[in-house]
Amino acid sequence: MSAWEGEMERSYPQLPRWYWNEAERRKQYARWVEAEAESLALRLAGLLRPDTPVDSAGPARLLVESLARDAEWARGLEDRLLRNAA
């Protein structure tokens, strides 16, 4: 979360109002994790070809799977936050 917070602080000259609301900040963080993980997984998976050497493809596929789990975790976090807010 500290990486996201740092990115937010660098991206905005003045942080948005929602940033100071913990529940909203966690929801935005979850959305960021999901988007980043899915984007990286898709980009990496797109680089894999049938002729990619096994010693490269194996670790890359493991990383794609790990990123997919991160995205799933973020979706679950956002779902829990939304249920708790209701």
Side-chain angles (χ1 to χ4, degrees):
M1 188 167 205
S2 64
W4 174 77
E5 288 171 338
E7 184 174 306
M8 290 296 298
E9 291 169 4
R10 286 186 301 278
S11 298
Y12 290 93
Q14 182 175 357
L15 291 169
R17 290 183 93 118
W18 58 258
Y19 186 83
W20 305 109
N21 177 302
E22 184 178 347
E24 186 63 27
R25 189 170 62 244
R26 289 178 58 81
K27 184 171 66 170
Q28 294 293 331
Y29 169 68
R31 289 177 179 171
W32 177 80
V33 169
E34 179 183 5
E36 288 292 309
E38 286 181 345
S39 174
L40 290 170
L42 286 171
R43 289 174 63 195
L44 182 56
L47 296 174
L48 295 172
R49 303 281 181 233
D51 61 342
T52 301
V54 174
D55 59 332
S56 299
R61 286 191 180 95
L62 288 174
L63 185 52
V64 168
E65 291 169 10
S66 179
L67 289 164
R69 285 191 301 274
D70 287 349
E72 184 61 34
W73 171 84
R75 280 189 290 277
L77 175 61
E78 185 177 2
D79 289 345
R80 287 188 301 278
L81 292 169
L82 292 173
R83 279 195 307 271
N84 290 341

